[in-house]
């Protein structure tokens, strides 16, 4: 199971003076159940790529296949759009219903799911850390962080296999960001693949199984967080700054202290400590 993208090219305003090749010959694989982060400078093509994953945009050239469904088949498009949930930047701006319950049941009704909608709404609210007392509240009267969680829950309500989020932490303070990432981690641990578009390399290094770096509409690098740090320490990608803890890890390995990579300072300290004890023995 995977989202498989082969030789994808997308051109906006093709054939006009405003023509922009947003993606050129992009090939990549998003394994089911994984956490993949797409990083890159503003304008590198991240949002355009995300919108191809659930067939909101269709390729000018190339192919997007989700599990065994292809966006080139009209018959498969509807199922792809259910399987791949897309959460836009600032999704709370798209809330529209009078109550949270109506907001959460809109998608399932659209897909013909009419049974146990209350139970379903309660379940997805729970997934984003809100209890059933929110069901009858107006989404417009919630706090910013709560609105965003309701917007994510409304995408989860149709049980997507892949959850694609465009800059999900944009505009949140440090505690809101931490809380949201924990929720996404829980959703990922329950089997839903997470694809996170972000310009924040530190979050990507901390959370992901794999990182794909885009540069000017092409894949500049794809690999594990460890490989990404090694790559970027010798091939800087414009707009992506290695966090200082990753710099430290690179320096330690240059001086011969090979330890597992982690962006978390306490794990890093523990790894250094274990390594030093190991060498003393
Ligand atoms: P990112 O998400 O990395 O900032 P985008 O995918 O939004 O990158 O944009 C990639 C390129 O495509 C940029 O040059 C941008 O200006 C252009 N672009 C994005 N959306 C549109 C659009 N709707 N119409 C025309 N050009 C666009």
């Amino acid at each position: 199971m995977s989202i498989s993208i082969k030789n994808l090219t997308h051109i906006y305003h093709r054939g006009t003076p405003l023509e922009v090749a947003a993606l050129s010959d992009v090939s990549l694989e998003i394994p089911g159940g994984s956490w993949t982060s797409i990083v890159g400078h503003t304008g590198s093509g991240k949002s355009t790529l995300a919108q191809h994953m659930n067939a909101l945009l269709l390729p000018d050239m190339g192919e997007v296949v989700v599990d065994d469904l292809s966006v080139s088949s009209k018959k498969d498009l509807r199922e792809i759009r259910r399987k791949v949930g897309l959460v836009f930047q600032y999704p709370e701006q798209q809330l529209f219903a009078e109550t949270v319950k109506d907001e959460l049941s809109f998608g399932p009704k659209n897909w013909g799911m009419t049974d146990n909608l209350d139970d379903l709404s309660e379940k997805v609210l729970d997934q984003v850390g809100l209890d059933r007392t929110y069901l009858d509240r107006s989404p417009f009267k919630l706090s910013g962080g709560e609105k965003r969680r309701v917007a994510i829950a409304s995408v989860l309500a149709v049980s997507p296999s892949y959850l694609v989020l465009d800059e999900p932490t944009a505009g949140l303070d440090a505690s809101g960001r931490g809380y949201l990432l924990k929720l996404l981690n829980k959703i990922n641990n329950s089997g839903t693949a997470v694809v996170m578009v972000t310009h924040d390399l530190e979050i990507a290094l901390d959370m992901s199984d794999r990182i794909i770096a885009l540069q000017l509409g092409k894949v500049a690098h794809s690999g594990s967080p460890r490989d990404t740090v090694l790559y970027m320490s010798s091939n800087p990608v414009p707009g992506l700054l290695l966090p200082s803890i990753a710099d430290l890890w690179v320096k330690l390995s240059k001086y011969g202290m090979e330890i597992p990579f982690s962006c978390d300072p306490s794990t890093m300290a523990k790894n250094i400590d274990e390594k030093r004890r190991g060498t003393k023995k």
Side-chain angles (χ1 to χ4, degrees):
M1 294 293 163
S2 65
I3 299 179
S4 173
I5 294 184
K6 290 195 191 102
N7 309 109
L8 170 63
T9 291
H10 190 85
I11 299 167
Y12 290 106
H13 305 297
R14 199 188 181 111
T16 77
L18 298 175
E19 181 169 304
V20 182
L23 296 173
S24 309
D25 201 20
V26 166
S27 295
L28 53 91
E29 191 91 6
I30 309 276
S34 66
W35 183 312
T36 304
S37 292
I38 309 216
V39 298
H41 205 337
T42 304
S44 58
K46 304 183 296 296
S47 294
T48 305
L49 178 60
Q51 290 172 56
H52 278 83
M53 291 185 187
N54 89 329
L56 188 65
L57 288 176
L58 295 173
D60 285 307
M61 276 179 270
E63 204 183 357
V64 178
V65 175
V66 177
D67 299 340
D68 48 359
L69 306 165
S70 168
V71 298
S72 57
S73 153
K74 273 205 174 125
K75 185 169 67 65
D76 290 350
L77 279 183
R78 195 174 146 79
E79 183 55 12
I80 287 176
R81 290 181 177 136
R82 194 202 59 74
K83 262 191 183 223
V84 185
L86 181 60
V87 179
F88 291 93
Q89 268 188 52
Y90 299 101
E92 57 277 16
Q93 292 172 358
Q94 281 148 30
L95 298 173
F96 62 93
E98 275 184 26
T99 63
V100 169
K101 185 161 66 181
D102 290 348
E103 192 73 52
L104 298 179
S105 47
F106 180 81
K109 277 184 190 159
N110 230 355
W111 294 102
M113 300 152 70
T114 48
D115 292 342
N116 301 325
L117 284 184
D118 284 358
D119 290 349
L120 179 64
S121 300
E122 216 173 308
K123 186 181 132 203
V124 289
L125 264 189
D126 183 58
Q127 279 185 285
V128 297
L130 299 172
D131 67 27
R132 64 178 324 282
T133 62
Y134 281 80
L135 285 174
D136 293 319
R137 293 175 64 177
S138 161
F140 300 102
K141 293 194 177 145
L142 304 178
S143 73
E146 288 170 340
K147 280 184 191 163
R148 189 164 303 185
R149 279 143 67 189
V150 168
I152 294 173
S154 71
V155 174
L156 290 174
V158 295
S159 307
S161 310
Y162 303 86
L163 185 63
V164 180
L165 305 110
D166 196 349
E167 299 279 1
T169 58
L172 298 179
D173 62 16
S175 81
R177 200 160 51 230
Y179 187 80
L180 187 73
L181 290 171
K182 257 194 214 148
L183 284 178
L184 293 177
N185 199 32
K186 210 173 87 188
I187 290 165
N188 183 231
N189 286 337
S190 73
T192 309
V194 168
V195 181
M196 180 176 71
V197 166
T198 181
H199 65 273
D200 189 328
L201 189 54
E202 185 162 1
I203 292 180
L205 290 170
D206 200 21
M207 304 300 297
S208 320
D209 302 313
R210 277 185 67 243
I211 295 175
I212 295 167
L214 292 185
Q215 188 177 1
L216 298 172
K218 291 181 187 290
V219 176
H221 169 77
S222 158
S224 67
R226 179 186 185 279
D227 291 348
T228 302
V229 169
L230 287 176
Y231 174 83
M232 288 189 187
S233 65
S234 41
N235 307 276
V237 176
L240 293 176
L241 203 60
L242 274 184
S244 44
I245 192 156
D247 265 337
L248 172 65
W249 179 82
V250 172
K251 283 193 183 110
L252 287 173
S253 53
K254 276 191 187 145
Y255 286 112
M257 186 178 257
E258 298 277 348
I259 53 168
F261 174 71
S262 171
C263 249
D264 173 48
S266 57
T267 310
M268 174 85 125
K270 194 175 115 248
N271 290 343
I272 292 174
D273 201 37
E274 276 173 8
K275 180 78 181 178
R276 288 171 67 197
R277 275 191 237 186
T279 35
K280 271 188 201 155
K281 271 180 207 163

